[in-house]
Amino acid sequence: MVLLFVAFISFLIFRFVGNPVESLLGQEATVAQRAALEEALGLNEPIYVQYAKFVWRALQFDFGNSYRGALPVAELIATRLPATLELALTSATFAVIFGVITGIYTAIHRGSFLTNLILSTSLIGVSLPTFLIGVLLIWLFSVELNWLPSFGRGDVVDLGWWSTGFLTLSGLKSLILPSITLGLYQMTLIMRLTRAEMLEVLQQDFIRLAKSLGQSNRQIYFFHALPNILIPVITITGLQLGSVIAFAIITETVFQWPGVGLLFINAVYFVDIPVMSAYLLLVGFAFVVINLVVDLLYLLIDPRLRDSQMRGEN
Amino acid sequence: MSYVIANQLTRHYDLSDPWIIRQINRRPKNILTAVNHVSFSIEKGEAYALVGESGSGKSTIAKMVSGLLKPSAGSIHIDGHDLNGPILDGKATHSMRQRIQMVFQSPYASLNPRWKIGNIILEPIKSFRLIADEKQQHKRVAELLDQVGLSERDVSKYPHEFSGGQRQRISIARALASQPEIIICDEPTSALDVSVQAQVLNLLKDLQKEFSLTYLFISHDLAVISTMANKIGVLKDGKLVEEADSAELFANPKHEYTKMLLSAAPNIGVYVHSERKS
Amino acid sequence: MANPLLEIDQLSVSLQKRKQTLKAVDNLSLKIYSGEILGLVGESGAGKSMTGSAILGLIDPPLFISSGKIIFEGERIDQNTKNIRGSKISMIFQDPLVSLNPLRRIGDQLVETIITHFDVSKTQAFERAKSLLEEVGIDPSRINAYPHTFSGGMRQRVVIALALAPEPALIIADEPTTALDVSVQAQILDLLKKLAKERGTAIILITHDMGVIAETTDRVAVLYSGRLAEIGKTADVLKDPKHPYTKGLVASTPRIDANSLLEKLFQIPGAMPDLDNIPEGCPFHPRCDFADAQCRKEQPPLFQNRSACWLSKD
Amino acid sequence: MNRFMQSDFFYHFRNTPVAMISFAVFTCIILAAVFANIIAPYNPFDPASLNLMNGFTPPMQANDFTGEVFLMGTDDQGRDLFSTILYGLRISLFVGVMAVALAMVLGVLLGLIAGFLGGWFDVLIMRFADIQMTFPSILVAMLIYGVAKGVLPPDLRYEMSITVLIISIGLSEWVPFARTVRGSTLVEKEKEYIIVAKMIGLNKWQIMIRHILPNVLSPVLVIATITFALAIIAEATLSFLGVGVPTTKPSLGTLIRIGQDFLFSGEWWILLFPAITLLALALSINLFGDWLRDTLNPKLK
């Protein structure tokens, strides 16, 4: 459902924005040339047929050719995807681990010095645009200290169709700054959410009951509170994971990281429609997959949902 | 003929999944019958009470009598007019609406927190176009406030400046503003403290006498009902299981459920009674 | 008479608002004996729940205990509550829908509480949990069910079983039946009476409902504006109230009676004052028909261990 | 007004230094931007006043050729950085305010109608919002920007770029408004004062505008402050990426983009001062918004 809708939007963009015939042929083309190309691209067929064909081709990863460079879009994306996925994965892991830990810590130790420090830092983190974090990190670690590379992926190893930067020292070094840049904002979000949920759960009656029954803080935090904050945290984390892929656009621009984000921003710049719509579909697809995983995790955690699913209720 | 006649009132709620999901799971429609063939009648100037526990359908009946909800089957006649009848003339529904007003349980949710008291009470007067002249309108608001035991100075205050009991008084004043003949009281005192509850119940009694109002009283509290209603209907799972004059019902309950309710209801009378007898 | 199980001695609970110190509970003294049900009755804001929380050490900022002692089995517990709380004193809350952890099986919650307090194996704890469920009238075979599968009244029974798990000497029940239907309320109150009688557990029943007090408690303490207005055997207090507030309360409570329709209810004018607006002298004097100059100036002490009213002086 | 001065809200404000300081900083920035033409020593948009010889003057140092001194130094074209930042602020703030206004009006209206009427309109709007929410707003803004660029004829692209930017950011931020308003509307419409309003015969629009709208606005205020910070950051980000305002009328983001290019050659001030300004702006709005949320939401008190 979501995918079909996203597909429809990207189809509309594909079809109606920046007339592809003109983009391909230029303004001086003859009428006959136009007709021939429209025929070739299938633009003379009814809209719904075009849409069906678009979806059908998309299912086979056929998004047509990029206007610039005339390479197949699918191929372009395939070569760029590993870079983005590695970056996104690293920073998401970083964001989730540190976000949840600091979130719980700051909720439990309210008002302590470290908590206040973390909270005020996090507010700066939210207010700092991602690109500025990137630029400042480059300035500090690349220009002033000269510790880490400021752009690119470093050396990569080809594993068939996948090229990885995880296996070389320069690859790993190149990964550090971009993933911190990308993960910092998500981390603060996850942290603030975890903290807010934790504080809310700790005020519930069943926590007060557990407290009045003399259970230790450890039991209360981990046995009672933690499972109850997992659902919202997982939801947001899932959403953030998707955002990470999209936010990679900014990070990739700052660090000249050769991923799909950089591809997209260039596409926007040059109005390269097939690349834009394919990218949109890709991100939509990522979200659908993540949502599915999140839904499955819900069932694992919440018995109420499990029961209603089994009874077939909604 | 009785003033309010509810005849075979029935209300279903459709709790089923969308059609397509039902087809996939091969399950039938899930219909809840909240009110099941309930009939009762209220004489003019009488106070009739519906008593029942949660899920008995008493609030659904209140909504149907007030015209907010259409019955799935059955009919309601007020003063000989069918409430949901074919007279779809705008004026007729307007005058029907004016005749029936409601007082609700929550003293907090029943007043718009952003409105001044004066405007809250004035709104029905304006909406029903009862008084056109602005000076007369203000006079009427002051009069209404006085009738419920509040002061004219309160018109420019906001609801949060009042206590729960005072807010219920404001609600009552607003209900009176449209000069209704029937007031439906949906648990009007169950959110109030005992000492304040007595004030509100007494006020309702006084107003009933003064304006010969007809009350439909909805409550789960038998003690409250015994001080307010002269006729009582006992609801269980959407059905009327017993109906009697209140003296008769308390002295000589017939249905098992009524007996159970009476014995379960906490009653301070245990002690006060024995005092009287001794 | 035997030594009291719990003694509250001149307890005050305060809060700081702007620059005022407001007293939610003011100079309250009470004694509770084993095996009795003591009712704490009052209208909203009278300080009855606050008193319960103070006994359990659940007073959270901005509220604080500003003076007084709470003595349990001869030991002061107002400063150090950790070891007493839960093992000797349990609590039951108003809303059973939120007093159980929705994500944990009721058995797990019971077993966990039992293991916290007793040195028993998991299987032993499990058996004990089953017999507790049986005692409160729940089929022990449902031990592995989740809270959402129980009705409100059943859930309150589970909460009571939880409260019983540490085998406490005192249970504080804060409006335990307010959220329930009348018929279920009667069953829960019967259960509490049975526990007090069979186990010898003392129960403090906090409620606003004079009917519940009449039918359940042995002794009753009437609170007004955080102060004790009257205390005594339930039968005495209800039959022959000494304090004008209690008199008004009893007379304004509607009773199930074939004749009551004809009479008007007795009504006390006005309403209980807000915390920041408690009048000088006896807090009830603006609403009292018998108030004189002394009432307006001086706060009455408790006379004859019964009533805090100048009228009761002799 | 007197009532406001005595309210808890104002009392709380007076007793929260963070709220007061952030509000003061924010006010200063706004005033500086509004009166930029009075405060700024140069007009950076006037090519005649530029002297290329002044390029790359470090802050508070005399230029090697002309001997002029600039508070925050100059950029590559010899523009006085302080003046450029003030004028850039104007553009950033303008885009932010307009985008938030657009998002707010759109979101509040759609949320109110969807929540009150329910039915297919609700399903449609919320479904659309869900799907849009799955894409980060910056991506949505970029996409709208890209599409608009594709639709507009090339000669209009330059002139319309700020309008396009406002619309892109505005359309990408309406969802939180709509969701919140819909949520509060669903709660409010079940309340009994609404039932009374129905009983006295008010129509849907009267109920929506006169009764519900005033009661759902306080969370909107909080979201508006937070969205304002987001919009300013979004504008800076887009400009930084080169898809925002044109370089001839630089906003803060554009300045940072220019600054980044000269980072490696040691001209750090071109980056630093715009960055600090942006941070101060976003931080003060966020701090104030945070405080506002805590104060207006009694649940967290």
Side-chain angles (χ1 to χ4, degrees):
Chain A
M1 164 67 199
V2 176
L3 259 190
L4 269 181
F5 184 81
V6 173
F8 187 64
I9 295 269
S10 42
F11 164 71
L12 284 181
I13 295 172
F14 180 77
R15 175 64 187 80
F16 292 106
V17 175
N19 189 343
V21 179
E22 253 171 44
S23 311
L24 282 176
L25 289 177
Q27 307 238 327
E28 293 83 27
T30 63
V31 179
Q33 272 177 310
R34 280 169 184 248
L37 189 71
E38 273 180 18
E39 175 88 48
L41 292 174
L43 294 182
N44 50 354
E45 288 171 273
I47 295 288
Y48 60 90
V49 176
Q50 290 186 39
Y51 176 55
K53 281 192 172 170
F54 176 84
V55 171
W56 176 243
R57 285 202 306 266
L59 285 176
Q60 298 162 318
F61 302 108
D62 177 6
F63 302 100
N65 287 352
S66 159
Y67 293 166
R68 295 188 331 126
L71 280 168
V73 174
E75 209 170 289
L76 261 178
I77 287 187
T79 55
R80 298 289 196 103
L81 199 55
T84 296
L85 283 183
E86 282 183 4
L87 175 62
L89 210 67
T90 317
S91 54
T93 318
F94 158 78
V96 169
I97 292 176
F98 283 93
V100 171
I101 290 177
T102 50
I104 293 179
Y105 179 87
T106 51
I108 294 176
H109 303 273
R110 282 173 76 181
S112 82
F113 174 73
L114 191 57
T115 299
N116 289 337
L117 187 76
I118 294 175
L119 286 181
S120 24
T121 323
S122 87
L123 207 63
I124 299 179
V126 176
S127 308
L128 262 180
T130 310
F131 71 90
L132 202 52
I133 297 175
V135 172
L136 292 178
L137 284 177
I138 291 180
W139 185 26
L140 188 62
F141 290 100
S142 305
V143 180
E144 294 295 323
L145 298 171
N146 207 5
W147 286 351
L148 296 165
S150 66
F151 66 90
R153 285 184 82 189
D155 299 325
V156 291
V157 179
D158 271 321
L159 306 166
W161 54 275
W162 187 277
S163 67
T164 177
F166 282 147
L167 297 175
T168 65
L169 187 64
S170 78
L172 286 175
K173 268 171 98 175
S174 312
L175 198 58
I176 295 176
L177 288 187
S179 30
I180 291 179
T181 307
L182 187 51
L184 213 56
Y185 183 70
Q186 324 295 335
M187 186 191 112
T188 47
L189 275 188
I190 293 175
M191 181 195 95
R192 298 179 119 222
L193 176 87
T194 311
R195 176 180 143 85
E197 289 296 329
M198 193 79 180
L199 286 178
E200 169 127 20
V201 169
L202 287 180
Q203 287 184 357
Q204 303 261 340
D205 265 359
F206 66 84
I207 296 287
R208 291 177 61 207
L209 183 73
K211 255 192 204 169
S212 78
L213 289 174
Q215 294 182 0
S216 66
N217 283 340
R218 231 183 113 87
Q219 272 173 316
I220 285 169
Y221 295 142
F222 294 98
F223 183 87
H224 285 294
L226 199 57
N228 279 288
I229 66 163
L230 276 181
I231 285 192
V233 169
I234 285 177
T235 314
I236 296 298
T237 308
L239 279 176
Q240 290 307 315
L241 213 64
S243 305
V244 163
I245 294 179
F247 259 108
I249 299 169
I250 300 161
T251 315
E252 287 178 9
T253 314
V254 176
F255 290 92
Q256 292 298 304
W257 186 267
V260 279
L262 201 56
L263 193 69
F264 175 74
I265 192 79
N266 283 328
V268 172
Y269 210 73
F270 293 103
V271 201
D272 191 345
I273 302 298
V275 176
M276 278 166 70
S277 62
Y279 180 78
L280 199 60
L281 271 179
L282 179 79
V283 176
F285 178 71
F287 272 106
V288 170
V289 171
I290 291 166
N291 273 338
L292 200 71
V293 175
V294 167
D295 281 348
L296 288 175
L297 282 174
Y298 280 180
L299 289 186
L300 207 69
I301 296 169
D302 196 330
R304 287 167 293 187
L305 277 175
R306 227 177 302 157
D307 281 9
S308 66
Q309 284 290 319
M310 272 176 212
R311 284 200 304 272
E313 281 165 21
N314 216 338
Chain B
M1 201 164 78
S2 298
Y3 192 61
V4 179
I5 302 170
N7 185 28
Q8 299 287 316
L9 269 188
T10 301
R11 174 73 201 190
H12 305 294
Y13 288 108
D14 191 347
L15 300 177
S16 340
D17 294 324
W19 179 84
I20 183 85
I21 296 186
R22 281 205 314 275
Q23 296 309 305
I24 293 167
N25 293 329
R26 289 164 190 266
R27 278 176 317 123
K29 277 195 155 189
N30 179 11
I31 305 267
L32 176 87
T33 306
V35 177
N36 195 353
H37 297 280
V38 171
S39 302
F40 59 89
S41 57
I42 312 174
E43 302 302 328
K44 195 165 171 63
E46 193 186 59
Y48 185 95
L50 285 170
V51 65
E53 297 186 292
S54 51
S56 62
K58 53 188 194 301
S59 289
T60 308
I61 294 180
K63 276 189 190 152
M64 288 193 285
V65 176
S66 69
L68 288 168
L69 198 68
K70 288 217 158 65
S72 308
S75 67
I76 299 160
H77 287 263
I78 311 273
D79 199 12
H81 301 289
D82 189 347
L83 188 63
N84 298 297
I87 16 152
L88 287 173
D89 175 12
K91 238 182 168 177
T93 47
H94 215 72
S95 71
M96 271 307 209
R97 277 202 174 118
Q98 192 192 329
R99 286 178 160 192
I100 313 167
Q101 287 302 317
M102 260 180 116
V103 175
F104 296 93
Q105 171 178 5
S106 164
Y108 298 93
S110 54
L111 302 175
N112 189 336
R114 306 271 157 158
W115 280 37
K116 287 180 181 165
I117 301 309
N119 291 333
I120 289 177
I121 297 175
L122 199 55
E123 200 185 19
I125 298 175
K126 280 186 172 163
S127 176
F128 291 124
R129 298 195 180 82
L130 295 176
I131 302 168
D133 177 47
E134 212 164 293
K135 256 195 186 150
Q136 293 296 313
Q137 286 180 344
H138 286 291
K139 237 179 108 185
R140 173 74 176 137
V141 170
E143 184 191 20
L144 284 163
L145 280 171
D146 183 57
Q147 275 165 2
V148 297
L150 292 168
S151 137
E152 193 187 337
R153 278 168 317 203
D154 295 331
V155 285
S156 54
K157 290 186 184 164
Y158 287 93
H160 70 262
E161 297 172 60
F162 293 91
S163 70
Q166 288 172 318
R167 284 187 223 201
Q168 283 309 66
R169 289 169 189 271
I170 297 166
S171 289
I172 294 170
R174 174 181 54 190
L176 290 177
S178 47
Q179 298 165 345
E181 288 149 12
I182 304 167
I183 296 187
I184 303 171
C185 303
D186 190 354
E187 308 257 14
T189 59
S190 57
L192 302 179
D193 277 323
V194 196
S195 65
V196 181
Q197 164 171 291
Q199 297 166 5
V200 172
L201 290 178
N202 285 343
L203 174 66
L204 284 171
K205 270 189 168 179
D206 291 344
L207 293 171
Q208 184 185 18
K209 251 186 228 148
E210 194 175 343
F211 301 106
S212 56
L213 293 165
T214 307
Y215 283 155
L216 173 60
F217 224 86
I218 307 283
S219 182
H220 68 280
D221 190 334
L222 279 166
V224 165
I225 277 175
S226 83
T227 66
M228 286 304 293
N230 37 11
K231 204 169 169 190
I232 297 172
V234 181
L235 282 171
K236 182 181 191 280
D237 300 331
K239 285 185 193 142
L240 198 63
V241 294
E242 183 168 358
E243 188 188 44
D245 282 350
S246 81
E248 170 70 13
L249 189 93
F250 289 118
N252 188 14
K254 301 242 160 38
H255 196 276
E256 279 309 307
Y257 182 71
T258 315
K259 285 181 194 161
M260 191 279 289
L261 271 187
L262 277 172
S263 70
N267 188 6
I268 191 174
V270 198
Y271 292 104
V272 183
H273 258 301
S274 49
E275 181 201 26
R276 256 191 215 157
K277 277 168 199 161
S278 61
Chain C
M1 214 176 214
N3 283 334
L5 176 71
L6 177 93
E7 187 177 351
I8 299 174
D9 188 22
Q10 303 195 326
L11 176 78
S12 294
V13 179
S14 309
L15 96 153
Q16 204 76 30
K17 197 193 173 198
R18 298 204 183 177
K19 274 162 194 128
Q20 283 173 286
T21 307
L22 308 177
K23 286 192 168 173
V25 175
D26 189 3
N27 218 0
L28 179 74
S29 299
L30 280 178
K31 286 177 182 149
I32 296 120
Y33 299 91
S34 290
E36 74 165 350
I37 300 184
L38 171 73
L40 276 188
V41 70
E43 300 182 293
S44 45
K48 48 194 194 306
S49 292
M50 206 73 73
T51 309
S53 301
I55 298 170
L56 283 159
L58 291 179
I59 298 281
D60 290 323
L63 289 156
F64 59 98
I65 295 182
S66 48
S67 66
K69 287 185 276 191
I70 301 172
I71 298 154
F72 182 78
E73 290 181 336
E75 210 182 314
R76 269 189 82 161
I77 58 164
D78 43 303
Q79 277 128 8
N80 175 23
T81 48
K82 274 261 150 97
N83 36 9
I84 302 289
R85 195 201 283 174
S87 58
K88 290 292 171 76
I89 308 175
S90 290
M91 185 149 193
I92 302 168
F93 292 96
Q94 173 174 351
D95 192 351
L97 299 180
V98 292
S99 355
L100 293 169
N101 189 337
L103 304 183
R104 295 281 180 183
R105 295 169 202 280
I106 59 163
D108 289 349
Q109 300 190 42
L110 279 165
V111 165
E112 182 210 18
T113 311
I114 294 168
I115 289 180
T116 311
H117 293 285
F118 303 99
D119 188 18
V120 291
S121 73
K122 253 205 155 138
T123 25
Q124 283 169 310
F126 197 74
E127 285 312 310
R128 217 183 266 200
K130 274 187 168 177
S131 68
L132 277 172
L133 286 179
E134 202 163 1
E135 189 175 346
V136 298
I138 288 178
D139 180 2
S141 68
R142 296 196 62 189
I143 189 159
N144 280 325
Y146 283 98
H148 70 272
T149 58
F150 291 91
S151 68
M154 286 306 208
R155 260 188 250 195
Q156 198 61 304
R157 286 172 191 266
V158 175
V159 174
I160 293 175
L162 258 178
L164 287 176
E167 300 189 352
L170 172 67
I171 294 178
I172 297 170
D174 190 352
E175 304 266 6
T177 57
T178 309
L180 304 174
D181 268 333
V182 196
S183 51
V184 184
Q185 160 168 296
Q187 295 164 12
I188 297 289
L189 293 176
D190 281 343
L191 176 61
L192 289 179
K193 276 197 245 178
K194 189 186 93 175
L195 293 175
K197 206 168 149 200
E198 289 176 4
R199 286 182 165 242
T201 315
I203 296 175
I204 298 180
L205 181 68
I206 298 171
T207 179
H208 66 278
D209 188 330
M210 294 302 278
V212 169
I213 291 289
E215 304 214 345
T216 321
T217 60
D218 303 309
R219 282 197 308 138
V220 61
V222 182
L223 301 186
Y224 186 82
S225 278
R227 293 158 173 92
L228 189 61
E230 181 161 3
I231 186 167
K233 288 225 165 72
T234 305
D236 297 344
V237 171
L238 293 187
K239 267 190 211 164
D240 182 21
K242 295 280 185 233
H243 195 287
Y245 174 63
T246 323
K247 275 186 191 155
L249 211 53
V250 170
S252 61
T253 303
R255 54 194 90 98
I256 300 174
D257 186 332
N259 300 322
S260 57
L261 181 62
L262 308 169
E263 305 157 12
K264 253 177 114 173
L265 286 165
F266 178 84
Q267 66 184 63
I268 313 173
M272 190 152 60
D274 287 333
L275 272 190
D276 50 6
N277 202 17
I278 295 179
E280 236 186 285
C282 170
F284 185 65
H285 83 254
R287 301 174 72 187
C288 182
D289 291 339
F290 311 101
D292 58 17
Q294 191 178 27
C295 302
R296 279 184 272 276
K297 262 212 217 114
E298 259 182 282
Q299 199 181 315
L302 195 69
F303 291 108
Q304 298 157 9
N305 276 328
R306 174 76 187 268
S307 158
C309 174
W310 291 112
L311 289 177
S312 314
K313 197 174 171 186
D314 10 65
Chain D
M1 195 57 209
N2 206 8
R3 177 172 283 208
F4 175 75
M5 298 291 280
Q6 286 170 359
S7 64
D8 277 358
F9 181 81
F10 189 69
Y11 175 84
H12 213 268
F13 179 74
R14 288 273 310 277
N15 281 272
T16 320
V18 176
M20 283 209 289
I21 293 171
S22 58
F23 191 71
V25 171
F26 178 63
T27 319
C28 285
I29 294 178
I30 297 275
L31 289 178
V34 170
F35 297 109
N37 44 355
I38 301 171
I39 301 170
Y42 302 89
N43 181 356
F45 300 154
D46 177 13
S49 75
L50 295 182
N51 184 352
L52 272 180
M53 299 296 276
N54 276 333
F56 300 125
T57 314
M60 297 310 286
Q61 285 180 29
N63 181 272
D64 293 346
F65 305 103
T66 62
E68 288 185 60
V69 178
F70 299 91
L71 180 63
M72 293 181 181
T74 61
D75 68 358
D76 55 331
Q77 298 171 46
R79 283 190 289 217
D80 172 42
L81 213 50
F82 179 61
S83 310
T84 319
I85 287 176
L86 289 183
Y87 278 89
L89 260 176
R90 261 188 177 183
I91 296 172
S92 294
L93 287 172
F94 177 72
V95 172
V97 168
M98 295 308 283
V100 170
L102 175 65
M104 188 160 79
V105 170
L106 193 68
V108 169
L109 262 172
L110 288 177
L112 190 63
I113 298 172
F116 191 73
L117 296 185
W120 62 267
F121 185 78
D122 183 30
V123 173
L124 192 76
I125 294 291
M126 284 303 124
R127 203 62 212 172
F128 189 82
D130 282 348
I131 292 170
Q132 183 173 333
M133 270 303 267
T134 54
F135 296 92
S137 50
I138 194 84
L139 179 63
V140 175
M142 231 182 270
L143 210 69
I144 298 172
Y145 189 86
V147 169
K149 230 177 149 185
V151 173
L152 284 173
D155 47 324
L156 271 181
R157 279 180 197 169
Y158 174 78
E159 284 168 39
M160 298 281 288
S161 62
I162 288 191
T163 317
V164 169
L165 195 61
I166 290 171
I167 294 173
S168 321
I169 298 174
L171 289 184
S172 70
E173 298 284 2
W174 68 276
V175 177
F177 288 101
R179 281 211 171 154
T180 314
V181 169
R182 176 180 175 269
S184 333
T185 304
L186 285 180
V187 174
E188 289 300 317
K189 84 167 180 182
E190 294 303 321
K191 287 199 178 158
E192 285 131 4
Y193 70 89
I194 299 298
I195 301 182
V196 172
K198 280 183 198 160
M199 288 193 69
I200 61 174
L202 296 190
N203 69 35
K204 283 173 189 164
W205 294 100
Q206 286 174 314
I207 294 178
M208 253 193 272
I209 303 296
R210 283 165 57 186
H211 281 285
I212 295 186
L213 190 62
N215 283 300
V216 297
L217 281 183
S218 61
V220 168
L221 198 67
V222 176
I223 298 182
T225 12
I226 293 165
T227 309
F228 186 43
L230 285 178
I232 284 171
I233 289 178
E235 183 275 323
T237 306
L238 289 176
S239 297
F240 175 82
L241 294 176
V243 291
V245 298
T247 40
T248 47
K249 284 195 171 180
S251 74
L252 291 178
T254 330
L255 286 175
I256 294 169
R257 174 188 169 83
I258 298 169
Q260 192 199 7
D261 293 340
F262 300 107
L263 201 52
F264 289 93
S265 46
E267 282 92 20
W268 49 269
W269 59 90
I270 306 179
L271 173 79
L272 190 68
F273 292 117
I276 288 177
T277 314
L278 180 60
L279 179 62
L281 183 58
L283 193 61
S284 64
I285 301 174
N286 270 336
L287 280 170
F288 187 70
D290 244 35
W291 170 81
L292 204 61
R293 184 187 55 203
D294 291 350
T295 313
L296 292 182
N297 185 353
K299 216 170 136 195
L300 290 172
K301 251 188 194 170

